[in-house]
Amino acid sequence: MGRAIDLDTVEAAVAARTARPSSDYDLNPGVVLPPGRKLRPAAVLIAVEDGAVILTKRASHLKHHPGQIALPGGKIDAGDADAVAAALREAQEEIGLPPENVALVARLPEHETVTGYTVTPVLARVRAPFVDRPEPGEVDEVFRVPLGFLMTPENYRVERRRWRGTWRSFYVVPWGPYYIWGATARVLKSLADRVAE
């Protein structure tokens, strides 16, 4: 089900082992990406609180990715100092996590999405418990998944579906009623692989 693992172990693995950027195209090597494509910068927060990763279920009325499971995060705005600042701002807006309650662990390698973003995952420790405040315009639910479960590569599997007329393969890591897939699963799988090396 999951390995006995804590954030200190993950942090040590991240410090000791380098990793390459990941992509939604990792499992789809036949895709030819257009040269000179412009990617929009974004950031997500892998916030670990008391041995669990905080995830959200996106609001069902959203135009993009309605009802999908996601890490708190979004586009890097002009007013953000960097990816870390953007991830912290988005987490405060989406789930009510105060930035001063977050300790940065590491910036992880970027991830390119099929929707044209280059996402910087930010691994962080939540210093103390806080009250979730889901932003109703963006988030239907906030929930937590044990870090050990997400850091066990064997819990991930590959599935396929048709997307824009072609078959696309992607990682999934289901947890109870939650179907974690796509970029979120790929970012977490990259970290799990790094820890397991």
Side-chain angles (χ1 to χ4, degrees):
M1 181 95 163
R3 302 189 303 155
I5 191 166
D6 60 16
L7 185 54
D8 291 335
T9 303
V10 175
E11 183 175 7
V14 168
R17 302 174 189 125
T18 58
R20 295 190 318 261
S22 62
S23 166
D24 284 351
Y25 303 104
D26 289 346
L27 297 173
N28 304 279
V31 174
V32 178
L33 298 173
R37 65 193 182 282
K38 298 274 192 235
L39 298 174
R40 294 163 288 180
V44 294
L45 189 68
I46 305 175
V48 181
E49 178 191 30
D50 195 25
V53 176
I54 302 171
L55 290 162
T56 69
K57 182 177 180 185
R58 289 171 56 83
S60 56
H61 66 268
L62 291 174
K63 180 179 177 183
H64 300 292
H65 312 293
Q68 288 188 11
I69 304 305
L71 294 157
K75 291 183 287 190
I76 298 177
D77 291 343
D80 294 321
D82 56 16
V84 173
L88 292 175
R89 175 184 54 74
E90 288 281 351
Q92 183 173 32
E93 292 173 4
E94 292 181 8
I95 66 173
L97 175 59
E100 62 273 13
N101 193 20
V102 178
L104 174 67
V105 173
R107 286 174 60 134
L108 302 177
E110 292 177 343
H111 175 85
E112 180 178 344
T113 71
V114 295
T115 52
Y117 286 93
T118 180
V119 179
T120 301
V122 177
L123 180 62
R125 181 188 309 270
V126 178
R127 300 177 194 269
F130 72 104
V131 177
D132 300 336
R133 285 188 292 108
E135 206 293 308
E138 294 186 65
V139 176
D140 277 347
E141 186 180 352
V142 179
F143 65 99
R144 288 152 177 79
V145 179
L147 179 65
F149 178 83
L150 294 173
M151 292 301 103
T152 302
E154 296 77 22
N155 289 333
Y156 293 77
R157 65 178 188 253
V158 175
E159 293 187 357
R160 290 189 337 143
R161 69 172 57 161
R162 287 187 72 78
W163 188 73
R164 295 186 179 174
T166 60
W167 284 100
R168 178 178 160 234
S169 297
F170 51 89
Y171 285 106
V172 302
V173 58
W175 169 256
Y178 304 106
Y179 184 75
I180 307 165
W181 72 287
T184 299
R186 182 68 187 102
V187 164
L188 293 169
K189 172 77 163 55
S190 294
L191 183 57
D193 288 343
R194 196 168 175 184
V195 172
E197 284 179 9

